[in-house]
Amino acid sequence: MGLLEGQPGGLLQDKVVLVNGGSQGVGAAVARAAVREGAVVAVTGRRPEPGEALVAELTAAGGEAMFVRADLADAEQAKGSVAEVVSVYGRVDCLVNSAGLTSRGTLLDTTPELFDAHVAINLKGPFFAMQAAVADMVARKAPGTIVNIITSSAHGGQPFLAPYVAAKAGLIGLTRNAAHAHRFDRIRINGLNIGWTATEGEDATQRAFHGAGDDWREQAAARLPMGRLGRPDEIADFVVLLLSERSGVVTGSVIDWDQNVLGGLD
């Protein structure tokens, strides 16, 4: 099947969707799913090559899309990504924050520089992108939706994820705070705590930090309850649902999208 596989349902028909960190992995899958559901999509990334390639793929399939080059660790660029989309399409209806830094560090060996890098990508970038998007929605007196891609590790995580967990746990708090603050503006803000997912970024991380070989996915799958890692397209379908009116009035929810159960013990 092609890019827009599955039966389109128009869940995001004519919506303008900005996917930060959308040039690969989960973000790219969200962009594809949003186009399939009728949205105009903008994706951001630091490197133009994958972003422009994705946009070409989406437009070749009949969608409308644009790429915005932005380093979301820079608050001004995070805000500027929203401003650029508004300048082209007049608004942002939906925002997805899917950029993430997963480099390793424990409590004992994390440097201030590594800590700051995690906070910049995993918390500060989403904060200021949300600030700009919500300001646009409020100015237009229009409803909107935001989904933050977080992590199940934010509940505690592995020892080697200390700065990542700290920043992503902050994003959980931000998600709920902003949802509460803007519920009467009819801006719904939710989050997904995703589990282990087969992405390009995860492949690079496993090889760089854990010496993984070509069969790491198979080895990982053998240890997981469902016998496989999560897939970006599955997450993307869930994100589209949360962005759409089909998720009703739900706001301030941070959902564990994982095959391991928090608090469950053997």
Side-chain angles (χ1 to χ4, degrees), residues 4 28 36 55 109 118 121-123 125 142 153 166 169-170 185 188 198 205 215 224-225 227-228 235 253 255 259 261:
L4 305 182
R36 186 189 69 221
V55 166
D109 63 23
H118 273 275
I121 291 289
N122 296 320
L123 181 56
S153 293
D185 294 316
R188 298 190 299 110
T205 295
D215 64 343
L224 294 171
R228 64 177 178 85
I235 296 169
S253 290
I255 301 162
Q259 56 191 296
V261 180

PDB file of all heavy atoms in Angstrom, residues 4 28 36 55 109 118 121-123 125 142 153 166 169-170 185 188 198 205 215 224-225 227-228 235 253 255 259 261:
ATOM      1  N   LEU A   4      -0.530   6.986   1.811  1.00  0.00           N
ATOM      2  CA  LEU A   4      -1.762   7.279   2.538  1.00  0.00           C
ATOM      3  C   LEU A   4      -2.593   6.014   2.694  1.00  0.00           C
ATOM      4  O   LEU A   4      -3.769   5.980   2.369  1.00  0.00           O
ATOM      5  CB  LEU A   4      -2.557   8.377   1.805  1.00  0.00           C
ATOM      6  CG  LEU A   4      -1.773   9.651   1.538  1.00  0.00           C
ATOM      7  CD1 LEU A   4      -2.658  10.673   0.848  1.00  0.00           C
ATOM      8  CD2 LEU A   4      -1.217  10.220   2.828  1.00  0.00           C
ATOM      9  N   ALA A  28       7.038  12.073  11.603  1.00  0.00           N
ATOM     10  CA  ALA A  28       6.756  11.848  10.181  1.00  0.00           C
ATOM     11  C   ALA A  28       5.509  10.992  10.008  1.00  0.00           C
ATOM     12  O   ALA A  28       4.692  11.230   9.105  1.00  0.00           O
ATOM     13  CB  ALA A  28       7.952  11.201   9.496  1.00  0.00           C
ATOM     14  N   ARG A  36      -3.518  12.143   5.388  1.00  0.00           N
ATOM     15  CA  ARG A  36      -4.529  11.158   5.010  1.00  0.00           C
ATOM     16  C   ARG A  36      -5.916  11.568   5.503  1.00  0.00           C
ATOM     17  O   ARG A  36      -6.927  11.300   4.841  1.00  0.00           O
ATOM     18  CB  ARG A  36      -4.158   9.794   5.602  1.00  0.00           C
ATOM     19  CG  ARG A  36      -5.074   8.653   5.162  1.00  0.00           C
ATOM     20  CD  ARG A  36      -4.775   7.385   5.948  1.00  0.00           C
ATOM     21  NE  ARG A  36      -5.163   7.534   7.345  1.00  0.00           N
ATOM     22  CZ  ARG A  36      -4.449   7.088   8.372  1.00  0.00           C
ATOM     23  NH1 ARG A  36      -3.276   6.515   8.178  1.00  0.00           N
ATOM     24  NH2 ARG A  36      -4.896   7.247   9.608  1.00  0.00           N
ATOM     25  N   VAL A  55       8.079  16.234   2.740  1.00  0.00           N
ATOM     26  CA  VAL A  55       7.114  17.136   2.115  1.00  0.00           C
ATOM     27  C   VAL A  55       6.878  16.739   0.657  1.00  0.00           C
ATOM     28  O   VAL A  55       5.736  16.722   0.172  1.00  0.00           O
ATOM     29  CB  VAL A  55       7.582  18.600   2.228  1.00  0.00           C
ATOM     30  CG1 VAL A  55       6.778  19.510   1.303  1.00  0.00           C
ATOM     31  CG2 VAL A  55       7.457  19.071   3.670  1.00  0.00           C
ATOM     32  N   ASP A 109      26.743  10.915  36.203  1.00  0.00           N
ATOM     33  CA  ASP A 109      27.656  11.337  35.135  1.00  0.00           C
ATOM     34  C   ASP A 109      27.086  12.399  34.195  1.00  0.00           C
ATOM     35  O   ASP A 109      27.765  12.846  33.273  1.00  0.00           O
ATOM     36  CB  ASP A 109      28.146  10.132  34.321  1.00  0.00           C
ATOM     37  CG  ASP A 109      27.031   9.396  33.578  1.00  0.00           C
ATOM     38  OD1 ASP A 109      25.975   9.988  33.303  1.00  0.00           O
ATOM     39  OD2 ASP A 109      27.236   8.198  33.272  1.00  0.00           O
ATOM     40  N   HIS A 118      18.900  18.439  27.206  1.00  0.00           N
ATOM     41  CA  HIS A 118      17.643  17.701  27.350  1.00  0.00           C
ATOM     42  C   HIS A 118      16.485  18.639  27.676  1.00  0.00           C
ATOM     43  O   HIS A 118      15.393  18.509  27.110  1.00  0.00           O
ATOM     44  CB  HIS A 118      17.785  16.632  28.431  1.00  0.00           C
ATOM     45  CG  HIS A 118      18.324  15.346  27.928  1.00  0.00           C
ATOM     46  ND1 HIS A 118      17.537  14.369  27.372  1.00  0.00           N
ATOM     47  CD2 HIS A 118      19.601  14.873  27.860  1.00  0.00           C
ATOM     48  CE1 HIS A 118      18.284  13.346  27.001  1.00  0.00           C
ATOM     49  NE2 HIS A 118      19.542  13.627  27.287  1.00  0.00           N
ATOM     50  N   ILE A 121      15.425  20.663  24.403  1.00  0.00           N
ATOM     51  CA  ILE A 121      14.660  19.954  23.371  1.00  0.00           C
ATOM     52  C   ILE A 121      13.360  19.374  23.917  1.00  0.00           C
ATOM     53  O   ILE A 121      12.300  19.477  23.290  1.00  0.00           O
ATOM     54  CB  ILE A 121      15.507  18.823  22.760  1.00  0.00           C
ATOM     55  CG1 ILE A 121      16.651  19.395  21.922  1.00  0.00           C
ATOM     56  CG2 ILE A 121      14.637  17.898  21.896  1.00  0.00           C
ATOM     57  CD1 ILE A 121      16.214  20.038  20.631  1.00  0.00           C
ATOM     58  N   ASN A 122      13.436  18.752  25.077  1.00  0.00           N
ATOM     59  CA  ASN A 122      12.307  17.971  25.589  1.00  0.00           C
ATOM     60  C   ASN A 122      11.301  18.771  26.399  1.00  0.00           C
ATOM     61  O   ASN A 122      10.207  18.271  26.664  1.00  0.00           O
ATOM     62  CB  ASN A 122      12.827  16.815  26.441  1.00  0.00           C
ATOM     63  CG  ASN A 122      13.646  15.826  25.636  1.00  0.00           C
ATOM     64  OD1 ASN A 122      13.311  15.512  24.499  1.00  0.00           O
ATOM     65  ND2 ASN A 122      14.730  15.339  26.218  1.00  0.00           N
ATOM     66  N   LEU A 123      11.657  19.996  26.778  1.00  0.00           N
ATOM     67  CA  LEU A 123      10.736  20.793  27.604  1.00  0.00           C
ATOM     68  C   LEU A 123      10.614  22.235  27.133  1.00  0.00           C
ATOM     69  O   LEU A 123       9.505  22.727  26.912  1.00  0.00           O
ATOM     70  CB  LEU A 123      11.185  20.746  29.065  1.00  0.00           C
ATOM     71  CG  LEU A 123      10.322  21.501  30.073  1.00  0.00           C
ATOM     72  CD1 LEU A 123       8.878  21.025  30.029  1.00  0.00           C
ATOM     73  CD2 LEU A 123      10.892  21.357  31.490  1.00  0.00           C
ATOM     74  N   GLY A 125      11.507  23.682  24.244  1.00  0.00           N
ATOM     75  CA  GLY A 125      10.969  23.782  22.892  1.00  0.00           C
ATOM     76  C   GLY A 125       9.460  23.621  22.859  1.00  0.00           C
ATOM     77  O   GLY A 125       8.744  24.472  22.310  1.00  0.00           O
ATOM     78  N   ALA A 142     -10.507  30.950  18.575  1.00  0.00           N
ATOM     79  CA  ALA A 142     -10.791  29.686  17.913  1.00  0.00           C
ATOM     80  C   ALA A 142     -10.343  28.520  18.771  1.00  0.00           C
ATOM     81  O   ALA A 142      -9.328  28.608  19.478  1.00  0.00           O
ATOM     82  CB  ALA A 142     -10.075  29.637  16.566  1.00  0.00           C
ATOM     83  N   SER A 153       8.837   6.419  30.223  1.00  0.00           N
ATOM     84  CA  SER A 153       9.961   6.535  31.160  1.00  0.00           C
ATOM     85  C   SER A 153       9.814   7.723  32.096  1.00  0.00           C
ATOM     86  O   SER A 153      10.503   7.795  33.126  1.00  0.00           O
ATOM     87  CB  SER A 153      11.282   6.663  30.388  1.00  0.00           C
ATOM     88  OG  SER A 153      11.583   5.470  29.697  1.00  0.00           O
ATOM     89  N   ALA A 166      13.915  13.674  33.641  1.00  0.00           N
ATOM     90  CA  ALA A 166      13.644  14.940  34.326  1.00  0.00           C
ATOM     91  C   ALA A 166      12.913  15.917  33.413  1.00  0.00           C
ATOM     92  O   ALA A 166      11.937  16.562  33.817  1.00  0.00           O
ATOM     93  CB  ALA A 166      14.951  15.551  34.818  1.00  0.00           C
ATOM     94  N   ALA A 169       9.327  14.483  32.377  1.00  0.00           N
ATOM     95  CA  ALA A 169       8.389  14.587  33.498  1.00  0.00           C
ATOM     96  C   ALA A 169       7.881  16.020  33.614  1.00  0.00           C
ATOM     97  O   ALA A 169       6.711  16.259  33.947  1.00  0.00           O
ATOM     98  CB  ALA A 169       9.055  14.136  34.789  1.00  0.00           C
ATOM     99  N   GLY A 170       8.758  16.979  33.336  1.00  0.00           N
ATOM    100  CA  GLY A 170       8.328  18.373  33.306  1.00  0.00           C
ATOM    101  C   GLY A 170       7.286  18.619  32.234  1.00  0.00           C
ATOM    102  O   GLY A 170       6.348  19.412  32.417  1.00  0.00           O
ATOM    103  N   ASP A 185     -10.896  28.343  26.853  1.00  0.00           N
ATOM    104  CA  ASP A 185     -10.629  28.815  25.487  1.00  0.00           C
ATOM    105  C   ASP A 185     -10.930  27.719  24.472  1.00  0.00           C
ATOM    106  O   ASP A 185     -10.740  27.924  23.273  1.00  0.00           O
ATOM    107  CB  ASP A 185      -9.155  29.230  25.343  1.00  0.00           C
ATOM    108  CG  ASP A 185      -8.809  30.440  26.181  1.00  0.00           C
ATOM    109  OD1 ASP A 185      -9.608  31.399  26.184  1.00  0.00           O
ATOM    110  OD2 ASP A 185      -7.749  30.419  26.853  1.00  0.00           O
ATOM    111  N   ARG A 188      -7.790  22.101  23.690  1.00  0.00           N
ATOM    112  CA  ARG A 188      -7.573  20.820  24.365  1.00  0.00           C
ATOM    113  C   ARG A 188      -6.108  20.401  24.211  1.00  0.00           C
ATOM    114  O   ARG A 188      -5.570  20.407  23.111  1.00  0.00           O
ATOM    115  CB  ARG A 188      -8.500  19.738  23.799  1.00  0.00           C
ATOM    116  CG  ARG A 188      -9.974  20.062  24.000  1.00  0.00           C
ATOM    117  CD  ARG A 188     -10.889  18.893  23.653  1.00  0.00           C
ATOM    118  NE  ARG A 188     -10.781  18.490  22.256  1.00  0.00           N
ATOM    119  CZ  ARG A 188     -10.232  17.363  21.828  1.00  0.00           C
ATOM    120  NH1 ARG A 188      -9.693  16.511  22.693  1.00  0.00           N
ATOM    121  NH2 ARG A 188     -10.199  17.073  20.536  1.00  0.00           N
ATOM    122  N   ALA A 198       9.908   1.435  17.390  1.00  0.00           N
ATOM    123  CA  ALA A 198      10.882   1.209  16.321  1.00  0.00           C
ATOM    124  C   ALA A 198      10.952   2.423  15.406  1.00  0.00           C
ATOM    125  O   ALA A 198      10.122   2.594  14.509  1.00  0.00           O
ATOM    126  CB  ALA A 198      10.502  -0.039  15.517  1.00  0.00           C
ATOM    127  N   THR A 205      20.212   5.405  18.452  1.00  0.00           N
ATOM    128  CA  THR A 205      20.511   5.426  19.883  1.00  0.00           C
ATOM    129  C   THR A 205      21.011   4.069  20.364  1.00  0.00           C
ATOM    130  O   THR A 205      21.985   3.980  21.119  1.00  0.00           O
ATOM    131  CB  THR A 205      19.263   5.839  20.677  1.00  0.00           C
ATOM    132  OG1 THR A 205      18.919   7.186  20.342  1.00  0.00           O
ATOM    133  CG2 THR A 205      19.507   5.750  22.173  1.00  0.00           C
ATOM    134  N   ASP A 215      20.376  -6.980  14.650  1.00  0.00           N
ATOM    135  CA  ASP A 215      19.230  -7.766  15.126  1.00  0.00           C
ATOM    136  C   ASP A 215      18.660  -7.253  16.447  1.00  0.00           C
ATOM    137  O   ASP A 215      17.916  -7.969  17.126  1.00  0.00           O
ATOM    138  CB  ASP A 215      19.629  -9.228  15.283  1.00  0.00           C
ATOM    139  CG  ASP A 215      20.705  -9.436  16.353  1.00  0.00           C
ATOM    140  OD1 ASP A 215      21.360  -8.431  16.737  1.00  0.00           O
ATOM    141  OD2 ASP A 215      20.895 -10.579  16.784  1.00  0.00           O
ATOM    142  N   LEU A 224       9.403  -8.459  24.961  1.00  0.00           N
ATOM    143  CA  LEU A 224       8.226  -7.616  25.156  1.00  0.00           C
ATOM    144  C   LEU A 224       6.934  -8.435  25.150  1.00  0.00           C
ATOM    145  O   LEU A 224       6.831  -9.441  24.444  1.00  0.00           O
ATOM    146  CB  LEU A 224       8.169  -6.538  24.066  1.00  0.00           C
ATOM    147  CG  LEU A 224       9.301  -5.505  24.134  1.00  0.00           C
ATOM    148  CD1 LEU A 224       9.294  -4.618  22.896  1.00  0.00           C
ATOM    149  CD2 LEU A 224       9.172  -4.655  25.396  1.00  0.00           C
ATOM    150  N   PRO A 225       5.911  -8.010  25.912  1.00  0.00           N
ATOM    151  CA  PRO A 225       4.679  -8.788  26.036  1.00  0.00           C
ATOM    152  C   PRO A 225       3.995  -9.091  24.704  1.00  0.00           C
ATOM    153  O   PRO A 225       3.486 -10.195  24.503  1.00  0.00           O
ATOM    154  CB  PRO A 225       3.792  -7.894  26.920  1.00  0.00           C
ATOM    155  CG  PRO A 225       4.751  -7.101  27.725  1.00  0.00           C
ATOM    156  CD  PRO A 225       5.926  -6.845  26.826  1.00  0.00           C
ATOM    157  N   GLY A 227       5.430  -9.162  21.802  1.00  0.00           N
ATOM    158  CA  GLY A 227       6.348  -9.767  20.855  1.00  0.00           C
ATOM    159  C   GLY A 227       6.863  -8.836  19.782  1.00  0.00           C
ATOM    160  O   GLY A 227       7.440  -9.285  18.785  1.00  0.00           O
ATOM    161  N   ARG A 228       6.724  -7.553  19.987  1.00  0.00           N
ATOM    162  CA  ARG A 228       7.240  -6.577  19.024  1.00  0.00           C
ATOM    163  C   ARG A 228       7.289  -5.208  19.665  1.00  0.00           C
ATOM    164  O   ARG A 228       6.642  -4.954  20.686  1.00  0.00           O
ATOM    165  CB  ARG A 228       6.375  -6.520  17.768  1.00  0.00           C
ATOM    166  CG  ARG A 228       4.943  -6.029  18.001  1.00  0.00           C
ATOM    167  CD  ARG A 228       4.191  -5.937  16.692  1.00  0.00           C
ATOM    168  NE  ARG A 228       2.809  -5.521  16.853  1.00  0.00           N
ATOM    169  CZ  ARG A 228       2.403  -4.252  16.924  1.00  0.00           C
ATOM    170  NH1 ARG A 228       3.302  -3.261  16.866  1.00  0.00           N
ATOM    171  NH2 ARG A 228       1.133  -3.943  17.048  1.00  0.00           N
ATOM    172  N   ILE A 235       1.008   4.885  16.703  1.00  0.00           N
ATOM    173  CA  ILE A 235       0.997   6.083  17.538  1.00  0.00           C
ATOM    174  C   ILE A 235       0.351   7.242  16.778  1.00  0.00           C
ATOM    175  O   ILE A 235      -0.446   8.013  17.339  1.00  0.00           O
ATOM    176  CB  ILE A 235       2.424   6.440  17.974  1.00  0.00           C
ATOM    177  CG1 ILE A 235       3.004   5.327  18.854  1.00  0.00           C
ATOM    178  CG2 ILE A 235       2.452   7.768  18.724  1.00  0.00           C
ATOM    179  CD1 ILE A 235       4.484   5.460  19.129  1.00  0.00           C
ATOM    180  N   SER A 253      -5.260  15.031  29.685  1.00  0.00           N
ATOM    181  CA  SER A 253      -4.973  13.611  29.879  1.00  0.00           C
ATOM    182  C   SER A 253      -3.574  13.289  29.371  1.00  0.00           C
ATOM    183  O   SER A 253      -3.179  13.740  28.290  1.00  0.00           O
ATOM    184  CB  SER A 253      -5.995  12.736  29.140  1.00  0.00           C
ATOM    185  OG  SER A 253      -7.264  12.811  29.746  1.00  0.00           O
ATOM    186  N   ILE A 255      -1.740   9.901  28.529  1.00  0.00           N
ATOM    187  CA  ILE A 255      -2.117   8.497  28.349  1.00  0.00           C
ATOM    188  C   ILE A 255      -0.872   7.631  28.180  1.00  0.00           C
ATOM    189  O   ILE A 255       0.009   7.952  27.382  1.00  0.00           O
ATOM    190  CB  ILE A 255      -3.034   8.357  27.122  1.00  0.00           C
ATOM    191  CG1 ILE A 255      -4.295   9.210  27.311  1.00  0.00           C
ATOM    192  CG2 ILE A 255      -3.405   6.902  26.866  1.00  0.00           C
ATOM    193  CD1 ILE A 255      -5.046   9.486  26.032  1.00  0.00           C
ATOM    194  N   GLN A 259       2.939  -1.261  26.244  1.00  0.00           N
ATOM    195  CA  GLN A 259       2.511  -2.636  26.486  1.00  0.00           C
ATOM    196  C   GLN A 259       2.922  -3.140  27.857  1.00  0.00           C
ATOM    197  O   GLN A 259       2.589  -4.269  28.229  1.00  0.00           O
ATOM    198  CB  GLN A 259       3.057  -3.564  25.400  1.00  0.00           C
ATOM    199  CG  GLN A 259       4.564  -3.529  25.226  1.00  0.00           C
ATOM    200  CD  GLN A 259       5.000  -4.265  23.967  1.00  0.00           C
ATOM    201  OE1 GLN A 259       4.818  -5.463  23.854  1.00  0.00           O
ATOM    202  NE2 GLN A 259       5.554  -3.534  23.028  1.00  0.00           N
ATOM    203  N   VAL A 261       2.561  -2.339  31.983  1.00  0.00           N
ATOM    204  CA  VAL A 261       1.545  -1.692  32.809  1.00  0.00           C
ATOM    205  C   VAL A 261       2.189  -1.081  34.037  1.00  0.00           C
ATOM    206  O   VAL A 261       2.808  -1.775  34.847  1.00  0.00           O
ATOM    207  CB  VAL A 261       0.461  -2.711  33.231  1.00  0.00           C
ATOM    208  CG1 VAL A 261      -0.593  -2.026  34.093  1.00  0.00           C
ATOM    209  CG2 VAL A 261      -0.171  -3.345  32.002  1.00  0.00           C
TER     210      VAL A 261
END
